[in-house]
Amino acid sequence: MSAPIKHFLQFKDLTREELEYLFERTRRIKKKFKAYQQYWPLTDRTLVMIFEKASTRTRLSFEAGIQQLGGSAIYLNTRDSQLGRGEPVEDAGQVISRMSDLVMIRTFEQSIIERFAAHSRVPVINGLTNEYHPCQILADIYTYIEHRGSIQGKTVAWIGDSNNMCNTWLQAAEILDFNVHVSTPPGYEVEPERAGLYGHAHYEEFKDPMEAAKGADLVTTDVWTSMGWEAENEERLKDFADWQVDAEMMSVAAKDALFMHCLPAHRGEEVSAEVIDGTQSVVWDEAENRLHVQKALMEYLLLGKVQ
Amino acid sequence: MKRLAVMQYVSANANMSIANVKPQRGGGSQNRLHVQKALMEYLLLGKVA
């Protein structure tokens, strides 16, 4: 009997065991890439990438990734697709998935990608929605493991907006058993239901960002104004002024704490240049690892576990 | 020619064996893909075995 289609729409779509498998596959696939070793398990498979929001790293990492695995990618932007506007998203799911082997979507509401996937005959990957950014968190956790080993029992300090990155960190904490200290300005707090959490056991909210960073093994943040919230930019600049990750904040974290940022970054806003360009920052490894984890993810969704 | 030989047995939805999907009737949009592949092959290579 064949297995059901596996999608990656939220971080919690994968179990802890599956995630551990993916991280190990990522290590092996990255090693092959670094050794210029040809690895084409997805020969003649076609990935369709649908972008309703701007992207640099996501397009690059998925397109390069599928090519390096022997497949090819087709890029559709808002003018070409307009999910739910040009035609019902359910119809788009039927049609696009009948001509391809894998679909990656960057869109607005999570409900759009969920509806698409419900009508897709091939796996669908979330390339960012308003609510979640699971591929980025896969890369972030893999990067942590590369530098420091298992993330289980560690503390991640999330400083800034409770956006799609924050929500996904919180989901990951429940599955991989680590803790998240969240500090947001008043009015920007975590919405547990929107974050899709099972409970509060793995995160704690702090009014003072310095308190959140204290003793953390990893300090991470994101832009103060995420895509889609640009109209609030001026107000957010004022509201978030005290939530910059700077050297003083890193000094209260654990001695060997890492700094991560999913990029693009605004030096002087959510992070000081001294921190993002400093010795504790692993942002370039983090960006590169998008490529490697997504290759492992595509391989898994299409082929299941391989030897 | 090597790539063509591979394509002869690979199609979109090649992962259907692991993706609990039953072939559906009247797949008009999917058949656009398949007839156009046959058309391109014919226009470029003529009749093939």
Side-chain angles (χ1 to χ4, degrees):
Chain A
M1 184 175 164
S2 55
I5 304 173
K6 188 164 270 302
H7 303 294
F8 190 50
L9 309 178
Q10 301 187 33
F11 202 86
K12 62 184 179 184
D13 285 341
L14 297 178
T15 64
R16 180 183 183 138
E17 186 267 335
E18 288 175 307
L19 290 163
E20 284 169 353
Y21 167 81
L22 271 189
F23 293 139
E24 175 55 22
R25 282 303 298 167
T26 300
R27 188 184 68 76
R28 289 171 185 258
I29 286 171
K30 183 173 181 177
K31 196 175 169 189
K32 289 179 198 288
F33 175 78
K34 296 290 182 185
Y36 295 98
Q37 193 179 336
Q38 185 178 295
Y39 180 56
W40 287 359
L42 302 184
T43 302
D44 285 305
R45 302 298 177 97
T46 304
L47 166 70
V48 172
M49 305 184 296
I50 303 170
F51 285 93
E52 298 204 293
K53 288 181 177 181
S55 168
T56 304
R57 278 155 291 276
T58 298
R59 180 180 178 181
L60 181 61
S61 55
F62 270 105
E63 195 162 335
I66 191 77
Q67 285 179 18
Q68 289 165 19
L69 293 173
S72 58
I74 295 173
Y75 172 82
L76 299 177
N77 63 24
T78 303
R79 280 173 305 174
D80 302 321
S81 64
Q82 293 220 315
L83 289 177
R85 292 184 284 283
E87 68 178 341
V89 66
E90 291 81 4
D91 292 4
Q94 288 277 6
V95 172
I96 292 169
S97 71
R98 277 169 170 255
M99 297 192 188
S100 59
D101 300 288
L102 186 60
V103 179
M104 189 284 300
I105 303 176
R106 167 167 287 196
T107 187
F108 297 90
E109 294 83 18
Q110 179 71 15
S111 60
I112 295 174
I113 198 169
E114 301 273 354
R115 285 164 56 207
F116 185 103
H119 292 81
S120 171
R121 63 197 302 175
V122 301
V124 178
I125 298 171
N126 182 343
L128 181 143
T129 59
N130 290 349
E131 286 83 0
Y132 306 115
H133 198 0
C135 290
Q136 183 65 58
I137 300 301
L138 271 186
D140 291 6
I141 293 173
Y142 180 74
T143 305
Y144 185 87
I145 293 168
E146 260 191 336
H147 284 267
R148 296 284 184 266
S150 173
I151 199 166
Q152 185 176 9
K154 302 293 183 182
T155 298
V156 175
W158 175 267
I159 309 296
D161 192 12
S162 64
N163 62 6
N164 46 14
M165 284 289 294
C166 177
N167 288 343
T168 313
W169 269 115
L170 296 174
Q171 281 198 358
E174 291 189 334
I175 300 163
L176 295 173
D177 191 22
F178 60 90
N179 307 303
V180 184
H181 289 177
V182 180
S183 182
T184 66
Y188 297 91
E189 291 87 355
V190 173
E191 298 171 61
E193 199 172 315
R194 193 160 185 255
L197 303 179
Y198 295 115
H200 292 72
H202 292 271
Y203 83 95
E204 196 176 341
E205 292 194 82
F206 295 79
K207 288 182 180 167
D208 181 353
M210 293 295 282
E211 285 298 313
K214 201 173 279 181
D217 301 289
L218 166 62
V219 180
T220 184
T221 186
D222 195 1
V223 291
W224 289 340
T225 307
S226 296
M227 281 183 282
W229 302 91
E230 290 81 357
E232 297 180 4
N233 194 39
E234 287 302 311
E235 193 183 340
R236 283 171 173 259
L237 283 175
K238 289 180 203 154
D239 292 347
F240 284 81
D242 293 332
W243 273 260
Q244 182 186 91
V245 179
D246 55 14
E248 186 188 356
M249 193 178 288
M250 290 304 292
S251 74
V252 301
K255 259 188 179 170
D256 66 344
L258 299 174
F259 172 77
M260 290 191 196
H261 190 304
C262 63
L263 307 176
H266 297 96
R267 289 168 175 78
E269 290 186 17
E270 74 274 7
V271 61
S272 69
E274 190 181 6
V275 169
I276 195 169
D277 299 320
T279 55
Q280 289 170 285
S281 172
V282 290
V283 296
W284 313 124
D285 290 342
E286 183 188 0
E288 179 191 327
N289 283 334
R290 284 288 299 277
L291 172 70
H292 307 303
V293 295
Q294 289 167 190
K295 285 168 74 176
L297 176 68
M298 290 191 285
E299 179 195 60
Y300 179 61
L301 294 179
L302 286 173
L303 303 180
K305 289 185 180 173
V306 297
Q307 294 298 320
Chain B
M1 289 307 289
K2 189 182 174 195
R3 187 159 175 86
L4 178 67
V6 172
M7 286 180 72
Q8 283 172 345
Y9 62 82
V10 175
S11 69
N13 293 330
N15 63 325
M16 283 175 59
S17 63
I18 66 156
N20 194 22
V21 175
K22 291 176 185 170
Q24 294 177 24
R25 288 179 194 163
S29 59
Q30 186 180 31
N31 285 338
R32 283 277 301 275
L33 173 71
H34 303 309
V35 294
Q36 288 167 192
K37 283 165 77 173
L39 175 64
M40 289 188 284
E41 180 190 59
Y42 178 64
L43 293 177
L44 288 173
L45 303 179
K47 290 182 181 174
V48 296

